[in-house]
Amino acid sequence: FEPLPADKKELLDSPVISDWLSLSSEKVLAPLILKVSNENIPLIYQRFSPDSDIVMFDKQSLTVQFVESVKHDFDLLVKLTMIFVTLLLIISFGRLGLGIITAIPMYASWIITLGFMGITGIRFNIFNIIISSFIFGLGVDYSILIMRGLQHHYKTGQSGLQPYKVSVILSSATTIFGVGALFFARHPALYSIALISVVGVALVVIISFVTLPLIFDGIILSWGRKKFPVTLRILIKTLVTWGNIVMIAIIMMIFGTIINLLLPIRQKKKEMIFHSLFSWLTRAYIAFTFAFDRKTIIPAGEDFSRPAIIISNHQSLIETPAFLRLYPKILILTTTWVYQSPIFGPIARLANFFNVDQGIENLLVPLREKVRDGFSILIFPEAHRSSDQKIQRFHRGAFYLAEKLHIDILPALVFGSGDFLPKGAFWGKPNAFRMKILPRITPDDHSFGKTYQERARNFRRFYITSYATFKAEEGDAHYYRRLLALNYVLKGPILEWYMRVKLKLEDDYEIYNEQMPRNGLILDLGCGYGFIAYMLMFTGENRYLTGVDYDEEKTTVAAHCFSGNDRIRFLCADVTHFKITPHDGFLLNDLLHYLTPEEQKSLLEKCFLNLNPGGSILIREANTELKQRHKKSVLTEIFSTRSGFNKTQNPGKKLYFTSAENIRSLAETNGMNMKIIDNKKVTSNNLFLVRHG
């Protein structure tokens, strides 16, 4: 209201009026109480404009506005909390995928609880808002517990989920029974608290028990015919890989139809345009699929301009686009299933690829015409993809055609495609790709035999030897670093971080691969989590590894990697009492300083005595002769033992470092030669190579 005139201000002195009026320097507030029935309240609010000087409110509207304000703030708090908790889970588990999966029960329980409140007509009030946040917190706790159990089982192979389930059941049961007592309360608000609590907690338990194991076991570990976990990176790479194949198929079908129906040019010109486009797309596909690690080796400078029968080993579907990218004029002999495939069939028909199931003799005439036009013919003599990457029996068709068409045979080797996308697999592991084009074999070259039957047999023998050499050259430790890393993902951020740091510091353990024998038995004493043992197994098909470590937790984790097979095993034992038998190689990696000088001498002498002729012993140890750098080595080892990361049987956790001279002297005493082959620049760690003199 406007200020009162001066002659009216004496009215304010009246006791009755002064109790109801509030006077300021500019305004006078005069309250008025109206008794209105509930159905007329909206009419009163409509009668007076919100812009007028009259302010109206009632208890019910104030309560509603208060609850709505609290609900708005609570919704904002829930959103921020969900984001914060999800980020915290991602950091805690060390994996984006695991963090998001663990957060699923939190999101699901919140959405279902809101839906239940909407169905039952329960409205938000200050009490059930508090209860909702309580349910939200329980969802996070239960999700973490169940995921820890699943991760422990995957890490060690031991059943660790049951104790976590029992904990969740006990926690949820006490909560449900405690809050469920409010069902007997007569007040509606208390009843709604009990109803929301019981339903919400039960939903959280069910979702945690069902959803997390289903996703972790059914999708991450066992979806499809594979042995490795599906990480977010693998998921994206696989979807992109298959998506690009489908995209290329669609593009080729569209442009192939346009070229055939609309371009007024000769058929051979249309075919050349189609093959040029196909070659360009496959080149882009291989470049994108293996963006950071691919190699094509052509020592003889082959340019594919002269027609030939191109033959290659066969491990994956990826090899077809890998060859088509090399030159536009390459045809493929395919089978009926390719022609009937919804993805590859239309392209095979548009590209005029030949169906070999019709009989290779029936294809001689059209193939001879294609050869005259400058086309080479790609044939996989194994006919089917090799599931174990070994060279299978060679069929005679390729060599029969080379003889009848009187053209060169151009052999090629591929490596890596079978590791990336093997036969029958959907998920592709991150990997590299290698291709090598070998020199041509002319029709007059009889080094592989005079008849196509002889050539088929001799070329297979040649491929077995050549592929083994090619694989040994290209399949070094750097190539297998992704496979080794994949064996330790989802097993905890500390272990995964430790493994990646070790790979970086040790140059992917390539020096161990170079110095260890390619064949025979290798004993890894102090194997830890088995990083070196697995790398040596990957890089040598004829290596058989045994890892021994004092820490049972580490050997259990090492034994439960998906790459484990009958060529590698891990034992928990004290190396000072372990029976040393003849081996072709011994590894003692960061082990000796955990043993007393007497134990060091005894263990080394056992290894020297049991080393087979031509074998190697690799000892990685801190060298006390490097005094300044040795201080850093001592600090790192003290930290690892005191923190419990590395276990030692010494009660006082005392460390006994030795010197290069001590190892050299002991080796020479036992008729061995010792030399330092790796000298770290920061620490005093040296790698000593010991062999027979």
Side-chain angles (χ1 to χ4, degrees):
F1 297 99
E2 296 296 330
L4 289 174
D7 57 345
K8 301 294 184 181
K9 288 186 177 181
E10 64 271 9
L11 294 175
L12 298 177
D13 297 332
S14 171
V16 177
I17 296 178
S18 61
D19 289 342
W20 288 91
L21 293 180
S22 177
L23 178 65
S24 67
S25 59
E26 298 181 355
K27 295 280 186 178
V28 175
L29 175 63
L32 179 63
I33 299 176
L34 298 178
K35 291 187 177 181
V36 183
S37 59
N38 290 334
E39 60 270 14
N40 291 329
I41 290 178
L43 298 177
I44 297 298
Y45 280 105
Q46 294 174 7
R47 174 64 181 81
F48 296 95
S49 171
D51 298 329
S52 66
D53 290 335
I54 298 176
V55 179
M56 294 186 301
F57 57 87
D58 60 274
K59 292 181 179 179
Q60 183 177 356
S61 64
L62 279 178
T63 304
V64 171
Q65 291 180 21
F66 174 73
V67 172
E68 289 295 328
S69 177
V70 172
K71 181 179 179 298
H72 176 270
D73 294 341
F74 179 70
D75 288 341
L76 178 61
L77 178 63
V78 167
K79 294 175 184 177
L80 295 176
T81 303
M82 284 184 173
I83 295 174
F84 176 76
V85 170
T86 302
L87 292 176
L88 197 61
L89 290 173
I90 293 172
I91 296 172
S92 175
F93 286 101
R95 279 272 158 184
L96 178 62
L98 280 186
I100 294 175
I101 292 171
T102 308
I104 287 177
M106 173 181 68
Y107 292 105
S109 61
W110 177 244
I111 294 172
I112 296 175
T113 301
L114 291 180
F116 175 77
M117 292 177 65
I119 293 173
T120 56
I122 299 176
R123 302 187 63 183
F124 269 112
N125 55 54
I126 187 61
F127 302 105
N128 54 35
I129 284 178
I130 296 174
I131 291 298
S132 299
S133 62
F134 173 66
I135 297 172
F136 181 88
L138 286 178
V140 177
D141 293 340
Y142 296 164
S143 297
I144 293 175
L145 287 172
I146 298 300
M147 182 55 73
R148 289 297 184 194
L150 292 169
Q151 197 173 26
H152 177 77
H153 176 67
Y154 173 65
K155 181 178 180 180
T156 64
Q158 301 170 353
S159 179
L161 186 59
Q162 196 62 29
Y164 291 100
K165 285 187 174 181
V166 172
S167 300
V168 171
I169 291 174
L170 291 176
S171 173
S172 60
T174 55
T175 304
I176 289 174
F177 285 117
V179 183
L182 296 178
F183 276 124
F184 300 100
R186 296 183 178 181
H187 196 283
L190 296 178
Y191 182 85
S192 68
I193 290 174
L195 184 60
I196 294 174
S197 300
V198 171
V199 172
V201 173
L203 285 172
V204 166
V205 174
I206 294 173
I207 294 172
S208 299
F209 275 34
V210 175
T211 306
L212 293 184
L214 179 65
I215 296 175
F216 193 87
D217 292 334
I219 298 178
I220 293 180
L221 302 183
S222 304
W223 194 359
R225 288 180 287 178
K226 60 175 180 56
K227 294 175 60 179
F228 57 91
V230 175
T231 62
L232 186 62
R233 178 184 177 185
I234 289 178
L235 173 64
I236 295 174
K237 186 174 181 64
T238 300
L239 295 180
V240 170
T241 298
W242 287 106
N244 286 340
I245 290 177
V246 174
M247 182 179 67
I248 290 175
I250 294 173
I251 292 174
M252 293 307 300
M253 284 189 289
I254 294 174
F255 278 88
T257 303
I258 293 174
I259 292 170
N260 282 333
L261 297 180
L262 300 181
L263 291 184
I265 55 179
R266 293 182 303 135
Q267 184 61 35
K268 288 186 177 181
K269 189 66 174 178
K270 293 180 180 180
E271 187 175 340
M272 196 60 227
I273 294 175
F274 183 87
H275 279 272
S276 298
L277 176 62
F278 200 4
S279 180
W280 184 86
L281 288 174
T282 53
R283 190 181 307 120
Y285 173 75
I286 294 298
F288 187 81
T289 303
F290 302 99
F292 304 105
D293 199 353
R294 67 182 185 277
K295 186 191 297 184
T296 301
I297 306 168
I298 311 179
E302 177 62 50
D303 62 0
F304 304 95
S305 59
R306 290 185 294 130
I309 299 293
I310 303 173
I311 62 173
S312 171
N313 58 315
H314 196 19
Q315 300 177 0
S316 172
L317 293 171
I318 298 297
E319 290 145 13
T320 299
F323 277 102
L324 292 177
R325 73 190 166 109
L326 298 175
Y327 194 67
K329 289 188 174 183
I330 295 179
L331 294 174
I332 304 176
L333 294 190
T334 62
T335 56
T336 302
W337 83 266
V338 175
Y339 267 78
Q340 295 176 348
S341 169
I343 297 177
F344 305 111
I347 299 178
R349 292 189 290 270
L350 287 169
N352 291 323
F353 292 162
F354 293 92
N355 186 356
V356 74
D357 291 340
Q358 297 176 358
I360 199 166
E361 295 83 2
N362 300 326
L363 301 178
L364 287 175
V365 174
L367 285 177
R368 185 172 284 110
E369 181 180 351
K370 292 296 182 183
V371 168
R372 283 197 296 265
D373 292 336
F375 280 88
S376 294
I377 303 167
L378 173 63
I379 302 176
F380 298 107
E382 296 169 284
H384 303 287
R385 287 165 287 165
S386 174
S387 57
D388 57 3
Q389 300 187 25
K390 294 182 179 179
I391 305 298
Q392 304 178 93
R393 183 178 71 88
F394 273 21
H395 294 256
R396 301 172 181 175
F399 311 99
Y400 173 80
L401 284 178
E403 180 180 296
K404 296 300 180 183
L405 299 177
H406 199 70
I407 58 175
D408 299 343
I409 294 178
L410 182 58
L413 293 167
V414 293
F415 171 62
S417 55
D419 290 326
F420 170 70
L421 195 66
K423 181 180 180 180
F426 174 79
W427 302 101
K429 295 192 294 290
N431 203 44
F433 178 73
R434 305 284 187 264
M435 175 182 286
K436 186 174 185 179
I437 309 299
L438 303 177
R440 289 173 176 251
I441 307 298
T442 64
D444 300 328
D445 185 347
H446 300 307
S447 58
F448 287 91
K450 295 182 179 180
T451 65
Y452 67 88
Q453 296 94 335
E454 293 175 340
R455 283 190 163 193
R457 291 192 300 270
N458 293 330
F459 260 103
R460 181 176 183 270
R461 298 191 189 101
F462 168 74
Y463 259 80
I464 291 174
T465 304
S466 299
Y467 179 72
T469 303
F470 185 50
K471 185 176 181 180
E473 293 171 351
E474 298 298 329
D476 57 9
H478 305 301
Y479 171 86
Y480 284 108
R481 70 184 185 276
R482 301 178 185 87
L483 180 59
L484 179 63
L486 192 58
N487 275 273
Y488 294 91
V489 302
L490 308 182
K491 294 185 177 182
I494 295 178
L495 175 56
E496 187 173 348
W497 170 84
Y498 174 68
M499 177 268 304
R500 294 187 184 279
V501 169
K502 293 292 287 184
L503 281 176
K504 185 69 174 179
L505 294 177
E506 301 296 334
D507 193 30
D508 300 326
Y509 300 116
E510 175 59 24
I511 195 168
Y512 293 86
N513 173 45
E514 293 173 352
Q515 300 300 330
M516 277 288 109
R518 307 290 300 185
N519 304 290
L521 304 177
I522 298 175
L523 182 60
D524 185 358
L525 297 172
C527 64
Y529 287 105
F531 301 155
I532 302 177
Y534 273 110
M535 183 59 80
L536 291 176
M537 185 193 73
F538 294 149
T539 54
E541 290 186 345
N542 296 314
R543 287 171 176 158
Y544 293 83
L545 283 299
T546 298
V548 180
D549 199 275
Y550 182 73
D551 192 337
E552 184 177 7
E553 187 266 342
K554 291 182 178 179
T555 56
T556 301
V557 172
H560 198 67
C561 290
F562 68 82
S563 291
N565 53 41
D566 57 358
R567 292 198 296 118
I568 190 169
R569 63 173 182 157
F570 295 92
L571 305 173
C572 177
D574 182 352
V575 296
T576 59
H577 299 95
F578 186 77
K579 184 179 180 181
I580 306 295
T581 58
H583 280 73
D584 299 284
F586 289 95
L587 289 172
L588 293 87
N589 202 57
D590 292 330
L591 170 67
L592 292 181
H593 56 265
Y594 292 103
L595 310 178
T596 64
E598 294 77 14
E599 291 172 337
Q600 293 178 13
K601 179 180 178 182
S602 175
L603 180 61
L604 288 175
E605 287 179 342
K606 291 178 183 178
C607 294
F608 295 156
L609 180 63
N610 287 278
L611 182 64
N612 292 332
S616 301
I617 299 176
L618 284 175
I619 305 169
R620 186 180 188 272
E621 191 58 42
N623 184 3
T624 57
E625 297 172 5
L626 308 173
K627 298 186 182 299
Q628 293 299 322
R629 285 153 50 184
H630 186 61
K631 295 178 181 178
K632 299 177 182 178
S633 300
V634 173
L635 288 176
T636 57
E637 290 299 327
I638 290 176
F639 174 78
S640 64
T641 53
R642 298 293 170 85
S643 64
F645 189 80
N646 289 333
K647 293 183 179 180
T648 174
Q649 60 181 342
N650 298 326
K653 297 183 178 180
K654 189 176 180 179
L655 303 176
Y656 304 90
F657 293 96
T658 186
S659 65
E661 182 58 34
N662 288 339
I663 298 176
R664 178 180 287 106
S665 176
L666 188 60
E668 291 175 352
T669 302
N670 288 269
M672 300 282 180
N673 289 329
M674 187 276 282
K675 65 177 180 178
I676 300 174
I677 60 173
D678 187 28
N679 192 347
K680 298 300 181 184
K681 297 180 180 179
V682 178
T683 66
S684 63
N685 289 324
N686 289 161
L687 188 61
F688 307 102
L689 174 64
V690 180
R691 287 176 174 166
H692 287 286

